[in-house]
Amino acid sequence: MSIGIAIAVVVAVALALWLVFRRKPQLPPEAAQPPKPALKAEPAARAEPERAATPAATPAPTAPTAPAAPAAAPPPAPVAPVAVVEAPAPEPTVDPERVRRVAALRKGLASTRGGFISRLAKLFGGRGGEIDPGLLEEIEEVLITADIGVKTTARILDALREQMQRGELSDEASIWAALRTLAVDILAVSAPAITLANKPALVLVVGVNGVGKTTTIGKLAARYSAEGKKVLLAAGDTYRAAAVLQLEVWGQRVGCPVVKGKEGADPGSVIFDAVKKAQNEGFDLVIADTAGRLHTKAPLMDELKKVDRTVQKALGDRRADEILLVLDSTTGQNAVQQMHMFRQALDVTGVALTKLDGTAKGGVILGIVDEHKLPVRFIGLGEKVEDLREFDVESFVQALFERPEDEANAA
Ligand SMILES: Nc1nc2c(ncn2[C@@H]2O[C@H](COP(=O)(O)OP(=O)(O)OP(=O)(O)O)[C@@H](O)[C@H]2O)c(=O)[nH]1
Ligand SMILES: [Mg+2]
């Protein structure tokens, strides 16, 4: 009897041991070792064929031909699916807001694109993909006639020449890419952003007559009001009654009060009064208009220096938060000269470049920034409120330097 029990025990133990050892090789690799999915998932594309091949090269261990496993035994572990658990390669992300911004810019910059950009495109196309030093001379000519300016053009050409010598400009696409990179380098000036953190903050808007100061002020007032700021306008252009009226029309349109003086009043005193009103009545921001007679007349610069000093007094010995010089892009290289004049008189902190919608001279932006290392804050692409855009270097360069065929693809 006891021998019978002993045999039964031995058989039972043997069966149990067989079951344990039979199951072990069938465990999926993930269960057999500590999980390390993150590391393995990363190079998904490369790892997948390798892994998929594994089962074929080394067949999965099979169960020994033993008595049928008891009903409780798990089914053979699947091997093949392991290869497809890998994370898919990340999709390139498309920012719809950026796509929309670039499309709008492209439309606004149509005249400039129709000017020097299409000339560049023709130039490349006309050479049937031939990239040689002669091409650089032709690029130089196009850039100079596009109001980019002699110095900036020379800088761009030097960089292209170096890249060509290093063999980096092998085809048309690489030249477009090089131009885009150079343009971003030029335009991405490192300067503090407009924060308008002071209360009240003051933006003093200056520029010669007709460049778009008052219009830009109206658009800025709309923008900052929409952001929830309480905005006050100061009619610092006291030379023309019509100038005050024009600002008042904008004030009514965008819902901002206007502080004005009598015709011919001292502009500094009008802006002083506006700052005091803003301080007393809790305004967040004062945007001050100024007169814009020709920059060649010295008195305007003297007047603006006086305004600057008065503003500092009103603000308690700090500078205006932003002295925004408005430049009209249709004046081309003349805008670069205006910048020189204003910077001699004032500590200009940023530029608004207007009327880019109606000119083929938009390339002047490169000359302005390259020569003065001052940031473009805003660009004007039309007369409507929404046509004043915050300047974003990457989108601007993408829109300006897009090849006509890429534009067609994007449309
Ligand atoms: N197409 C276009 N027109 C603009 C833009 N910005 C301003 N203008 C127009 O340019 C003209 C002059 O604009 P103003 O705002 O009066 O210029 P200003 O610098 O205040 O002129 P003064 O007060 O005479 O010194 C107006 O007809 C504006 O509508 C722009 O970005 N695009
Ligand atoms: Mg004006």
Side-chain angles (χ1 to χ4, degrees), residues 53-59:
T54 307
T58 43

Side-chain angles (χ1 to χ4, degrees), residues 233-391:
L233 304 180
D237 182 353
T238 56
Y239 288 100
R240 293 187 303 120
V244 177
L245 193 65
Q246 189 188 356
L247 194 68
E248 283 183 311
V249 170
W250 270 107
Q252 275 163 15
R253 195 190 296 175
V254 300
C256 298
V258 178
V259 172
K260 59 178 180 176
K262 292 201 176 69
E263 196 177 337
D266 176 46
S269 75
V270 173
I271 299 173
F272 188 95
D273 288 349
V275 171
K276 289 298 154 195
K277 180 180 168 72
Q279 287 165 341
N280 294 335
E281 298 178 24
F283 281 85
D284 299 301
L285 173 63
V286 179
I287 311 179
D289 199 3
T290 59
R293 287 177 313 173
L294 278 182
H295 63 278
T296 45
K297 291 183 185 165
L300 176 62
M301 293 305 152
D302 290 346
E303 189 73 67
L304 289 173
K305 280 192 214 171
K306 232 171 83 189
V307 167
D308 192 26
R309 284 195 297 272
T310 312
V311 159
Q312 283 184 53
K313 244 181 259 162
L315 292 171
D317 267 345
R318 69 174 168 83
R319 318 290 305 243
D321 298 77
E322 176 81 5
I323 298 185
L324 187 68
L325 175 62
V326 181
L327 296 172
D328 174 344
S329 56
T330 65
T331 62
Q333 281 295 301
N334 202 6
V336 181
Q337 293 313 314
Q338 288 168 22
M339 183 86 138
H340 280 297
M341 296 293 297
F342 278 86
R343 291 193 79 189
Q344 279 169 16
L346 297 167
D347 188 7
V348 175
T349 49
V351 171
L353 189 63
T354 60
K355 309 187 195 178
L356 274 165
D357 51 309
T359 182
K361 297 179 176 180
V364 71
I365 193 170
L366 292 165
I368 291 170
V369 178
D370 189 35
E371 201 141 315
H372 291 278
K373 310 288 181 243
L374 272 181
V376 173
R377 305 291 201 190
F378 302 97
I379 51 173
L381 290 166
E383 293 180 87
K384 296 199 292 291
V385 168
E386 64 272 21
D387 293 331
L388 187 76
R389 311 274 161 128
E390 213 164 309
F391 183 64

